[in-house]
Amino acid sequence: MDGIVNFITGIFDAWRGQASDPGKQCVFAFLLLLLALDIARKGWRISWSRRAVESVAATLAIFHINIVLIPGLWLLSGEIETLYGLLGIPSVPGAVWGNLPVWALSLVAILAHDFANYWNHRLMHMKWLWPVHAIHHSDPVVNGLTTYRVHALEMLVMWGSYTVLLTWLGLPADAIGIGALILLLHNIYVHIDVDWSHGPLRMLVASPRFHRWHHADVPEAYGKNLANLFPFFDWMFGTYRVPGPCNAPMGAAGVPRNDVVQLTLWPLLEWSQMATRGVQALRAVLPGWLARDTGVREPRPLDVKAE
Ligand SMILES: [Zn+2]
Ligand SMILES: [Zn+2]
């Protein structure tokens, strides 16, 4: 009973905290604006189809699960910061940034943040971290709220890397805050269901078309368009792919679509299956290795004489 009360109190406190934060108010207003645009473009019935409602409901549930887990994640993020401090790696002296205006410092923060995003994201698309990131890709109806469909473990990896990189850079807190808000608003924007490509600026600022190709559930799109804001990182590191308008299906084959419980447990389920398969593969090859090490040769088909 206490657990349920704590859960509800935690959600209520989080909402109250968000409502009084100007940055969060800005995000909320932006989401409402995008929702109004979507309804104006498609009409209420398509914008709020059963598929869309199921998708949004699952995303909101994941968002609230994360709200409850966030204090623990902050704690772990603090531990990462402390561990990083113990390594004694010299950071960039604050005086380096002394004379630059806030907008320029925010740009540096965004550039650094997005560089970290690119490599985090690239790691997330590799075998062992994919079960964590697959939750973001599970959305069959990609929309502005999909930004918030992220597994808590992914948030921890992201925060850990930002903490290390931004601590090392020694940027002032206001520049980091402004940069993070711009990145969040842009991240919401690239998830909306429009085919805007940004024309000649397409390599400079990621468009909804660029990110929809990232969510496309077709093999040729897997692991492509990994940058959040700057597509030139993809161009530089060989993962850029925008062949034209994206009409491919959204989602991730083999991953539950809107089952929140399964999605939350998905990394653990997948990792245990991968570990089991690894043990089975080891058991299959181990007798051969042991025999080789002990000098006992396994009979080969040619050694077997016909009786
Ligand atoms: Zn991804
Ligand atoms: Zn996305």
Side-chain angles (χ1 to χ4, degrees), residues 55-95:
S55 164
V56 166
T59 302
L60 287 175
I62 291 168
F63 173 75
H64 284 92
I65 290 170
N66 286 344
I67 279 185
V68 176
L69 296 175
I70 274 173
L73 291 175
W74 273 122
L75 223 63
L76 285 169
S77 184
E79 293 293 325
I80 293 168
E81 198 170 2
T82 312
L83 280 175
Y84 177 75
L86 288 176
L87 291 175
I89 297 169
S91 59
V92 176

mmCIF file of all heavy atoms in Angstrom, residues 55-95:
data_model
loop_
_atom_site.group_PDB
_atom_site.id
_atom_site.type_symbol
_atom_site.label_atom_id
_atom_site.label_comp_id
_atom_site.label_asym_id
_atom_site.label_seq_id
_atom_site.Cartn_x
_atom_site.Cartn_y
_atom_site.Cartn_z
ATOM 1 N N SER A 55 -0.488 4.106 -29.135
ATOM 2 C CA SER A 55 0.930 4.452 -29.143
ATOM 3 C C SER A 55 1.242 5.560 -28.120
ATOM 4 O O SER A 55 2.193 5.453 -27.338
ATOM 5 C CB SER A 55 1.301 4.892 -30.567
ATOM 6 O OG SER A 55 2.496 5.567 -30.568
ATOM 7 N N VAL A 56 0.415 6.603 -28.128
ATOM 8 C CA VAL A 56 0.631 7.727 -27.196
ATOM 9 C C VAL A 56 0.448 7.263 -25.750
ATOM 10 O O VAL A 56 1.230 7.641 -24.859
ATOM 11 C CB VAL A 56 -0.327 8.903 -27.537
ATOM 12 C CG1 VAL A 56 -0.361 9.923 -26.405
ATOM 13 C CG2 VAL A 56 0.110 9.574 -28.830
ATOM 14 N N ALA A 57 -0.558 6.407 -25.508
ATOM 15 C CA ALA A 57 -0.803 5.910 -24.141
ATOM 16 C C ALA A 57 0.404 5.134 -23.636
ATOM 17 O O ALA A 57 0.834 5.307 -22.480
ATOM 18 C CB ALA A 57 -2.053 5.039 -24.118
ATOM 19 N N ALA A 58 0.984 4.283 -24.506
ATOM 20 C CA ALA A 58 2.163 3.498 -24.095
ATOM 21 C C ALA A 58 3.340 4.428 -23.804
ATOM 22 O O ALA A 58 4.053 4.258 -22.806
ATOM 23 C CB ALA A 58 2.536 2.501 -25.187
ATOM 24 N N THR A 59 3.527 5.432 -24.655
ATOM 25 C CA THR A 59 4.643 6.366 -24.443
ATOM 26 C C THR A 59 4.465 7.120 -23.126
ATOM 27 O O THR A 59 5.429 7.296 -22.362
ATOM 28 C CB THR A 59 4.739 7.370 -25.620
ATOM 29 O OG1 THR A 59 4.905 6.622 -26.823
ATOM 30 C CG2 THR A 59 5.913 8.314 -25.454
ATOM 31 N N LEU A 60 3.240 7.569 -22.848
ATOM 32 C CA LEU A 60 2.998 8.309 -21.595
ATOM 33 C C LEU A 60 3.242 7.414 -20.377
ATOM 34 O O LEU A 60 3.762 7.878 -19.358
ATOM 35 C CB LEU A 60 1.571 8.870 -21.574
ATOM 36 C CG LEU A 60 1.334 10.067 -22.515
ATOM 37 C CD1 LEU A 60 -0.128 10.477 -22.510
ATOM 38 C CD2 LEU A 60 2.223 11.258 -22.135
ATOM 39 N N ALA A 61 2.868 6.133 -20.502
ATOM 40 C CA ALA A 61 3.109 5.207 -19.387
ATOM 41 C C ALA A 61 4.610 5.048 -19.150
ATOM 42 O O ALA A 61 5.079 5.096 -17.999
ATOM 43 C CB ALA A 61 2.464 3.860 -19.685
ATOM 44 N N ILE A 62 5.376 4.898 -20.227
ATOM 45 C CA ILE A 62 6.841 4.762 -20.098
ATOM 46 C C ILE A 62 7.428 6.035 -19.486
ATOM 47 O O ILE A 62 8.294 5.985 -18.611
ATOM 48 C CB ILE A 62 7.483 4.457 -21.476
ATOM 49 C CG1 ILE A 62 7.096 3.046 -21.928
ATOM 50 C CG2 ILE A 62 8.999 4.594 -21.429
ATOM 51 C CD1 ILE A 62 7.409 2.718 -23.367
ATOM 52 N N PHE A 63 6.919 7.177 -19.921
ATOM 53 C CA PHE A 63 7.377 8.463 -19.375
ATOM 54 C C PHE A 63 7.174 8.517 -17.857
ATOM 55 O O PHE A 63 8.058 8.951 -17.104
ATOM 56 C CB PHE A 63 6.603 9.592 -20.074
ATOM 57 C CG PHE A 63 6.840 10.962 -19.498
ATOM 58 C CD1 PHE A 63 8.021 11.638 -19.742
ATOM 59 C CD2 PHE A 63 5.880 11.586 -18.709
ATOM 60 C CE1 PHE A 63 8.251 12.903 -19.224
ATOM 61 C CE2 PHE A 63 6.089 12.853 -18.178
ATOM 62 C CZ PHE A 63 7.277 13.507 -18.434
ATOM 63 N N HIS A 64 6.019 8.044 -17.394
ATOM 64 C CA HIS A 64 5.731 8.086 -15.953
ATOM 65 C C HIS A 64 6.538 7.058 -15.161
ATOM 66 O O HIS A 64 6.913 7.307 -14.021
ATOM 67 C CB HIS A 64 4.225 7.932 -15.701
ATOM 68 C CG HIS A 64 3.484 9.192 -16.004
ATOM 69 N ND1 HIS A 64 2.937 9.446 -17.241
ATOM 70 C CD2 HIS A 64 3.266 10.306 -15.265
ATOM 71 C CE1 HIS A 64 2.388 10.653 -17.234
ATOM 72 N NE2 HIS A 64 2.577 11.194 -16.053
ATOM 73 N N ILE A 65 6.804 5.916 -15.779
ATOM 74 C CA ILE A 65 7.686 4.933 -15.115
ATOM 75 C C ILE A 65 9.063 5.571 -14.930
ATOM 76 O O ILE A 65 9.688 5.470 -13.872
ATOM 77 C CB ILE A 65 7.785 3.637 -15.954
ATOM 78 C CG1 ILE A 65 6.450 2.886 -15.912
ATOM 79 C CG2 ILE A 65 8.921 2.739 -15.469
ATOM 80 C CD1 ILE A 65 6.343 1.737 -16.890
ATOM 81 N N ASN A 66 9.521 6.279 -15.961
ATOM 82 C CA ASN A 66 10.838 6.926 -15.880
ATOM 83 C C ASN A 66 10.870 8.027 -14.816
ATOM 84 O O ASN A 66 11.880 8.211 -14.145
ATOM 85 C CB ASN A 66 11.242 7.499 -17.237
ATOM 86 C CG ASN A 66 11.641 6.395 -18.203
ATOM 87 O OD1 ASN A 66 11.903 5.267 -17.780
ATOM 88 N ND2 ASN A 66 11.665 6.698 -19.477
ATOM 89 N N ILE A 67 9.753 8.751 -14.654
ATOM 90 C CA ILE A 67 9.689 9.801 -13.622
ATOM 91 C C ILE A 67 10.002 9.204 -12.251
ATOM 92 O O ILE A 67 10.738 9.772 -11.451
ATOM 93 C CB ILE A 67 8.288 10.463 -13.604
ATOM 94 C CG1 ILE A 67 8.202 11.505 -14.718
ATOM 95 C CG2 ILE A 67 8.008 11.133 -12.249
ATOM 96 C CD1 ILE A 67 6.909 12.300 -14.722
ATOM 97 N N VAL A 68 9.441 8.013 -12.011
ATOM 98 C CA VAL A 68 9.655 7.369 -10.704
ATOM 99 C C VAL A 68 11.106 6.903 -10.579
ATOM 100 O O VAL A 68 11.696 6.949 -9.494
ATOM 101 C CB VAL A 68 8.679 6.180 -10.544
ATOM 102 C CG1 VAL A 68 8.919 5.434 -9.254
ATOM 103 C CG2 VAL A 68 7.244 6.690 -10.600
ATOM 104 N N LEU A 69 11.689 6.481 -11.712
ATOM 105 C CA LEU A 69 13.055 5.949 -11.653
ATOM 106 C C LEU A 69 14.122 7.036 -11.682
ATOM 107 O O LEU A 69 15.271 6.798 -11.320
ATOM 108 C CB LEU A 69 13.292 4.998 -12.846
ATOM 109 C CG LEU A 69 12.430 3.733 -12.867
ATOM 110 C CD1 LEU A 69 12.675 2.950 -14.148
ATOM 111 C CD2 LEU A 69 12.747 2.841 -11.664
ATOM 112 N N ILE A 70 13.732 8.259 -12.092
ATOM 113 C CA ILE A 70 14.724 9.320 -12.310
ATOM 114 C C ILE A 70 15.588 9.647 -11.075
ATOM 115 O O ILE A 70 16.807 9.765 -11.207
ATOM 116 C CB ILE A 70 14.052 10.590 -12.894
ATOM 117 C CG1 ILE A 70 13.982 10.434 -14.421
ATOM 118 C CG2 ILE A 70 14.828 11.864 -12.554
ATOM 119 C CD1 ILE A 70 13.201 11.527 -15.119
ATOM 120 N N PRO A 71 15.005 9.756 -9.852
ATOM 121 C CA PRO A 71 15.875 10.068 -8.706
ATOM 122 C C PRO A 71 17.027 9.074 -8.565
ATOM 123 O O PRO A 71 18.167 9.473 -8.314
ATOM 124 C CB PRO A 71 14.919 9.986 -7.509
ATOM 125 C CG PRO A 71 13.572 10.280 -8.098
ATOM 126 C CD PRO A 71 13.595 9.700 -9.471
ATOM 127 N N GLY A 72 16.741 7.791 -8.773
ATOM 128 C CA GLY A 72 17.797 6.764 -8.705
ATOM 129 C C GLY A 72 18.831 6.977 -9.800
ATOM 130 O O GLY A 72 20.031 6.803 -9.584
ATOM 131 N N LEU A 73 18.331 7.375 -10.981
ATOM 132 C CA LEU A 73 19.245 7.586 -12.102
ATOM 133 C C LEU A 73 20.161 8.780 -11.860
ATOM 134 O O LEU A 73 21.335 8.751 -12.176
ATOM 135 C CB LEU A 73 18.452 7.814 -13.398
ATOM 136 C CG LEU A 73 17.700 6.601 -13.937
ATOM 137 C CD1 LEU A 73 16.870 6.980 -15.145
ATOM 138 C CD2 LEU A 73 18.677 5.493 -14.287
ATOM 139 N N TRP A 74 19.588 9.849 -11.261
ATOM 140 C CA TRP A 74 20.405 11.020 -10.937
ATOM 141 C C TRP A 74 21.522 10.632 -9.996
ATOM 142 O O TRP A 74 22.650 11.083 -10.116
ATOM 143 C CB TRP A 74 19.558 12.121 -10.282
ATOM 144 C CG TRP A 74 18.897 13.027 -11.275
ATOM 145 C CD1 TRP A 74 17.571 13.266 -11.411
ATOM 146 C CD2 TRP A 74 19.539 13.835 -12.279
ATOM 147 N NE1 TRP A 74 17.338 14.155 -12.442
ATOM 148 C CE2 TRP A 74 18.536 14.519 -12.985
ATOM 149 C CE3 TRP A 74 20.871 14.027 -12.655
ATOM 150 C CZ2 TRP A 74 18.810 15.384 -14.035
ATOM 151 C CZ3 TRP A 74 21.146 14.892 -13.705
ATOM 152 C CH2 TRP A 74 20.129 15.558 -14.376
ATOM 153 N N LEU A 75 21.150 9.747 -9.034
ATOM 154 C CA LEU A 75 22.129 9.285 -8.045
ATOM 155 C C LEU A 75 23.285 8.573 -8.747
ATOM 156 O O LEU A 75 24.459 8.859 -8.490
ATOM 157 C CB LEU A 75 21.421 8.302 -7.095
ATOM 158 C CG LEU A 75 21.703 8.410 -5.615
ATOM 159 C CD1 LEU A 75 21.243 9.758 -5.098
ATOM 160 C CD2 LEU A 75 20.991 7.294 -4.865
ATOM 161 N N LEU A 76 22.929 7.684 -9.692
ATOM 162 C CA LEU A 76 23.964 6.949 -10.418
ATOM 163 C C LEU A 76 24.780 7.881 -11.303
ATOM 164 O O LEU A 76 25.987 7.720 -11.452
ATOM 165 C CB LEU A 76 23.315 5.837 -11.266
ATOM 166 C CG LEU A 76 22.830 4.637 -10.479
ATOM 167 C CD1 LEU A 76 21.978 3.727 -11.344
ATOM 168 C CD2 LEU A 76 24.019 3.843 -9.957
ATOM 169 N N SER A 77 24.075 8.886 -11.893
ATOM 170 C CA SER A 77 24.778 9.853 -12.728
ATOM 171 C C SER A 77 25.800 10.630 -11.879
ATOM 172 O O SER A 77 26.916 10.905 -12.317
ATOM 173 C CB SER A 77 23.770 10.805 -13.363
ATOM 174 O OG SER A 77 24.412 11.680 -14.234
ATOM 175 N N GLY A 78 25.404 10.955 -10.626
ATOM 176 C CA GLY A 78 26.317 11.630 -9.694
ATOM 177 C C GLY A 78 27.527 10.760 -9.386
ATOM 178 O O GLY A 78 28.658 11.248 -9.306
ATOM 179 N N GLU A 79 27.260 9.424 -9.247
ATOM 180 C CA GLU A 79 28.362 8.481 -8.978
ATOM 181 C C GLU A 79 29.352 8.479 -10.139
ATOM 182 O O GLU A 79 30.575 8.454 -9.939
ATOM 183 C CB GLU A 79 27.806 7.052 -8.790
ATOM 184 C CG GLU A 79 26.950 6.867 -7.550
ATOM 185 C CD GLU A 79 27.767 7.001 -6.281
ATOM 186 O OE1 GLU A 79 28.933 6.586 -6.287
ATOM 187 O OE2 GLU A 79 27.251 7.552 -5.290
ATOM 188 N N ILE A 80 28.804 8.511 -11.368
ATOM 189 C CA ILE A 80 29.662 8.521 -12.561
ATOM 190 C C ILE A 80 30.543 9.773 -12.535
ATOM 191 O O ILE A 80 31.740 9.723 -12.810
ATOM 192 C CB ILE A 80 28.809 8.473 -13.854
ATOM 193 C CG1 ILE A 80 28.094 7.115 -13.968
ATOM 194 C CG2 ILE A 80 29.663 8.714 -15.102
ATOM 195 C CD1 ILE A 80 27.029 7.060 -15.031
ATOM 196 N N GLU A 81 29.918 10.910 -12.152
ATOM 197 C CA GLU A 81 30.653 12.173 -12.084
ATOM 198 C C GLU A 81 31.785 12.078 -11.048
ATOM 199 O O GLU A 81 32.906 12.517 -11.294
ATOM 200 C CB GLU A 81 29.690 13.304 -11.718
ATOM 201 C CG GLU A 81 30.246 14.664 -12.036
ATOM 202 C CD GLU A 81 29.181 15.759 -11.889
ATOM 203 O OE1 GLU A 81 28.028 15.452 -11.506
ATOM 204 O OE2 GLU A 81 29.516 16.899 -12.148
ATOM 205 N N THR A 82 31.457 11.470 -9.888
ATOM 206 C CA THR A 82 32.473 11.318 -8.837
ATOM 207 C C THR A 82 33.622 10.433 -9.314
ATOM 208 O O THR A 82 34.798 10.754 -9.122
ATOM 209 C CB THR A 82 31.835 10.692 -7.577
ATOM 210 O OG1 THR A 82 30.634 11.406 -7.287
ATOM 211 C CG2 THR A 82 32.737 10.755 -6.377
ATOM 212 N N LEU A 83 33.247 9.304 -9.963
ATOM 213 C CA LEU A 83 34.281 8.384 -10.469
ATOM 214 C C LEU A 83 35.171 9.099 -11.476
ATOM 215 O O LEU A 83 36.387 8.955 -11.469
ATOM 216 C CB LEU A 83 33.617 7.167 -11.138
ATOM 217 C CG LEU A 83 33.122 6.080 -10.200
ATOM 218 C CD1 LEU A 83 32.379 5.006 -10.998
ATOM 219 C CD2 LEU A 83 34.302 5.430 -9.477
ATOM 220 N N TYR A 84 34.531 9.892 -12.339
ATOM 221 C CA TYR A 84 35.286 10.648 -13.344
ATOM 222 C C TYR A 84 36.248 11.618 -12.652
ATOM 223 O O TYR A 84 37.406 11.744 -13.048
ATOM 224 C CB TYR A 84 34.316 11.400 -14.260
ATOM 225 C CG TYR A 84 35.031 12.256 -15.287
ATOM 226 C CD1 TYR A 84 35.654 11.679 -16.394
ATOM 227 C CD2 TYR A 84 35.120 13.638 -15.132
ATOM 228 C CE1 TYR A 84 36.336 12.446 -17.315
ATOM 229 C CE2 TYR A 84 35.797 14.421 -16.056
ATOM 230 C CZ TYR A 84 36.404 13.821 -17.139
ATOM 231 O OH TYR A 84 37.073 14.585 -18.047
ATOM 232 N N GLY A 85 35.762 12.268 -11.564
ATOM 233 C CA GLY A 85 36.592 13.200 -10.806
ATOM 234 C C GLY A 85 37.818 12.510 -10.216
ATOM 235 O O GLY A 85 38.916 13.067 -10.192
ATOM 236 N N LEU A 86 37.632 11.233 -9.767
ATOM 237 C CA LEU A 86 38.732 10.486 -9.160
ATOM 238 C C LEU A 86 39.849 10.179 -10.160
ATOM 239 O O LEU A 86 41.003 9.999 -9.783
ATOM 240 C CB LEU A 86 38.196 9.169 -8.573
ATOM 241 C CG LEU A 86 37.336 9.303 -7.307
ATOM 242 C CD1 LEU A 86 36.783 7.952 -6.890
ATOM 243 C CD2 LEU A 86 38.163 9.908 -6.156
ATOM 244 N N LEU A 87 39.485 10.112 -11.437
ATOM 245 C CA LEU A 87 40.497 9.809 -12.451
ATOM 246 C C LEU A 87 41.499 10.955 -12.611
ATOM 247 O O LEU A 87 42.599 10.759 -13.125
ATOM 248 C CB LEU A 87 39.820 9.528 -13.811
ATOM 249 C CG LEU A 87 39.004 8.237 -13.894
ATOM 250 C CD1 LEU A 87 38.288 8.147 -15.228
ATOM 251 C CD2 LEU A 87 39.900 7.012 -13.693
ATOM 252 N N GLY A 88 41.095 12.163 -12.175
ATOM 253 C CA GLY A 88 42.014 13.305 -12.205
ATOM 254 C C GLY A 88 42.361 13.788 -13.603
ATOM 255 O O GLY A 88 43.448 14.329 -13.822
ATOM 256 N N ILE A 89 41.474 13.568 -14.569
ATOM 257 C CA ILE A 89 41.743 14.027 -15.945
ATOM 258 C C ILE A 89 41.604 15.555 -15.974
ATOM 259 O O ILE A 89 40.573 16.089 -15.541
ATOM 260 C CB ILE A 89 40.747 13.369 -16.936
ATOM 261 C CG1 ILE A 89 40.960 11.859 -16.928
ATOM 262 C CG2 ILE A 89 40.904 13.944 -18.346
ATOM 263 C CD1 ILE A 89 39.902 11.069 -17.650
ATOM 264 N N PRO A 90 42.626 16.277 -16.444
ATOM 265 C CA PRO A 90 42.518 17.752 -16.439
ATOM 266 C C PRO A 90 41.422 18.217 -17.401
ATOM 267 O O PRO A 90 41.325 17.731 -18.527
ATOM 268 C CB PRO A 90 43.901 18.216 -16.925
ATOM 269 C CG PRO A 90 44.524 17.026 -17.567
ATOM 270 C CD PRO A 90 43.897 15.805 -17.001
ATOM 271 N N SER A 91 40.565 19.137 -16.918
ATOM 272 C CA SER A 91 39.495 19.639 -17.786
ATOM 273 C C SER A 91 39.935 20.948 -18.438
ATOM 274 O O SER A 91 40.946 21.541 -18.057
ATOM 275 C CB SER A 91 38.219 19.846 -16.971
ATOM 276 O OG SER A 91 38.483 20.770 -15.946
ATOM 277 N N VAL A 92 39.150 21.373 -19.422
ATOM 278 C CA VAL A 92 39.446 22.632 -20.105
ATOM 279 C C VAL A 92 39.241 23.764 -19.090
ATOM 280 O O VAL A 92 38.184 23.827 -18.451
ATOM 281 C CB VAL A 92 38.496 22.806 -21.315
ATOM 282 C CG1 VAL A 92 38.708 24.159 -21.989
ATOM 283 C CG2 VAL A 92 38.680 21.666 -22.304
ATOM 284 N N PRO A 93 40.233 24.657 -18.901
ATOM 285 C CA PRO A 93 40.056 25.729 -17.893
ATOM 286 C C PRO A 93 38.898 26.658 -18.256
ATOM 287 O O PRO A 93 38.709 26.993 -19.434
ATOM 288 C CB PRO A 93 41.388 26.494 -17.947
ATOM 289 C CG PRO A 93 42.298 25.731 -18.849
ATOM 290 C CD PRO A 93 41.512 24.739 -19.605
ATOM 291 N N GLY A 94 38.109 27.030 -17.241
ATOM 292 C CA GLY A 94 36.936 27.887 -17.457
ATOM 293 C C GLY A 94 37.295 29.200 -18.148
ATOM 294 O O GLY A 94 36.498 29.778 -18.887
ATOM 295 N N ALA A 95 38.553 29.679 -17.927
ATOM 296 C CA ALA A 95 38.983 30.965 -18.502
ATOM 297 C C ALA A 95 38.939 30.935 -20.034
ATOM 298 O O ALA A 95 38.777 31.979 -20.673
ATOM 299 C CB ALA A 95 40.389 31.287 -18.026
#
